[in-house]
Amino acid sequence: MTPATRQKVLGLYRKIFQIARKWQSASGQTEETIKEKEYIKNEAKTLFRKNKHVTDPKLIKQCIEECEARIEIGLHYNIPYPRPIHLPPMGLAHKQSRTLRHQEKLRKISKPIYLKSHDEVS
């Protein structure tokens, strides 16, 4: 990892903890705010520790982009949890048909960047 990339990653880590320190839940309830602050901290620790041994520059860049996207979406919607994707259910195709495989492929491709790591951790 280059020194510039390292600085960017550490800056994002610090930014997340600053956000967690100042975080206020949308409901304004104290216990809800505390729970959301803990979620932000635990999610950051888990994902950064999971990816600390990543050395591929492309993968590092992808992780940085995901982190930035999750920060922006969380601040915009005032919800620390990842927003689910809204895709139609795959209930119309038969299990062995080409349509099902095509729908699964489209579903995989259309997954937003901010949800890439969420399925792996949850």
Side-chain angles (χ1 to χ4, degrees):
M1 183 183 310
T2 65
T5 307
R6 179 177 166 75
Q7 287 299 102
K8 179 137 180 126
V9 170
L10 292 174
L12 284 171
Y13 194 70
R14 280 190 294 270
K15 183 177 181 178
I16 291 169
F17 280 90
Q18 288 170 354
I19 290 169
R21 200 174 325 116
K22 298 175 188 175
W23 187 264
Q24 287 295 317
S25 71
S27 66
Q29 296 177 345
T30 307
E31 55 273 351
E32 188 75 23
T33 300
I34 292 169
K35 188 170 27 167
E36 289 180 3
K37 283 181 177 186
E38 284 302 312
Y39 173 79
I40 293 169
K41 291 176 190 177
N42 291 336
E43 184 80 358
K45 287 177 186 177
T46 302
L47 290 175
F48 276 83
R49 285 181 182 153
K50 180 183 141 253
N51 293 321
K52 76 178 182 180
H53 297 295
V54 174
T55 56
D56 181 26
K58 287 182 182 179
L59 194 54
I60 292 171
K61 184 178 181 214
Q62 195 177 40
C63 290
I64 290 171
E65 288 173 355
E66 178 184 353
C67 181
E68 290 171 341
R70 287 183 72 171
I71 289 171
E72 290 302 316
I73 289 170
L75 291 174
H76 177 76
Y77 291 105
N78 199 29
I79 300 172
Y81 311 108
R83 295 177 53 80
I85 53 175
H86 300 287
L87 297 173
M90 295 187 301
L92 301 176
H94 298 289
K95 290 199 181 243
Q96 298 299 324
S97 71
R98 296 168 101 191
T99 310
L100 180 63
R101 286 186 299 234
H102 182 68
Q103 285 178 354
E104 286 174 347
K105 184 179 176 184
L106 287 175
R107 198 180 227 10
K108 190 175 185 179
I109 291 171
S110 65
K111 187 175 221 177
I113 191 168
Y114 61 87
L115 284 176
K116 298 281 186 213
S117 65
H118 184 262
D119 292 340
E120 296 169 7
V121 173
S122 298

